[in-house]
Amino acid sequence: MFARFEELGVGESFVLVNDHDPLHLREDFERDQPGSFGWEYENTEDGDWRVRISRLASTALARVLVDTAEVELPEGSAGGAAWSIGVHPRDLDSNLVILPAGGGIGEHIGPDHDVLVVVLAGSGTITTERGEVALAPGELVLLPRRSRRAFTAGPEGLRHLTVHRRRPTLQITDAPR
């Protein structure tokens, strides 16, 4: 459905014929194409649902994904990614990481791409191979690809957003002969 939608010009449409109300598909369109599509029921009889899907804009529209100040960790959580971007298609990945006071993320080697860290609230440190980098709200920190790092939250915890190139999804291919 999304491939067919991508082929449409602004103002063009197609009719989806289905045996039931395609509510999950509409939810996917709302998540990935808000404001840029039209959804009009032409028939809603059992076994014969018809929905006209129209392109209203040339691309998906800008929208607020989350209010990072409103996201909380689940009760009893030790901290970590509390929110991740879920829009498709996309070129970026992003995670809201919340660490409670004194909590942390153990030493590890980062992925094969750079990561931008935006400190939103609290304080803490990033431990690198050669020392520590203090973190405070408003700071942007670049974590170079494959760099060694560990995070430790300060006394009021640490809330930061990571932004990086999207990792490729797993692909199934034929085995080389």
Side-chain angles (χ1 to χ4, degrees):
M1 289 300 117
F2 287 104
R4 177 69 181 103
F5 179 78
E6 287 298 320
E7 294 171 356
L8 296 176
V10 174
E12 295 181 335
S13 64
F14 65 90
V15 175
L16 168 66
V17 178
N18 207 18
D19 63 354
H20 63 278
D21 190 353
L23 291 174
H24 292 297
L25 180 62
R26 183 171 187 160
E27 291 169 359
D28 290 345
F29 268 96
E30 290 288 351
R31 179 193 67 221
D32 299 340
Q33 298 289 336
S36 66
F37 74 98
W39 186 277
E40 179 185 349
Y41 288 100
E42 293 187 347
N43 194 41
T44 58
E45 296 176 19
D46 276 347
D48 185 29
W49 287 77
R50 294 174 188 265
V51 180
R52 179 169 299 280
I53 301 172
S54 307
R55 181 178 276 283
L56 304 178
S58 59
T59 65
L61 302 180
R63 69 270 198 190
V64 174
L65 297 177
V66 67
D67 180 344
T68 61
E70 298 294 321
V71 177
E72 296 297 332
L73 284 172
E75 192 75 30
S77 173
W83 173 87
S84 296
I85 193 169
V87 174
H88 299 279
R90 67 180 191 273
D91 295 329
L92 293 175
D93 270 336
S94 184
N95 299 294
L96 173 61
V97 179
I98 302 174
L99 299 174
I105 299 171
E107 184 178 67
H108 63 283
I109 295 175
D112 284 336
H113 50 260
D114 297 337
V115 176
L116 181 67
V117 174
V118 182
V119 182
L120 302 172
S123 65
T125 58
I126 297 175
T127 303
T128 71
E129 291 182 64
R130 305 272 322 257
E132 293 185 346
V133 177
L135 301 175
E139 293 181 333
L140 298 176
V141 179
L142 177 64
L143 300 175
R145 66 178 181 249
R146 295 186 297 278
S147 61
R148 186 174 305 277
R149 76 273 308 249
F151 288 80
T152 304
E156 64 278 354
L158 177 64
R159 181 180 289 253
H160 68 272
L161 187 71
T162 64
V163 181
H164 52 85
R165 186 181 70 235
R166 184 169 186 219
R167 295 180 183 126
T169 58
L170 295 175
Q171 302 291 320
I172 298 173
T173 60
D174 293 333
R177 297 182 188 259

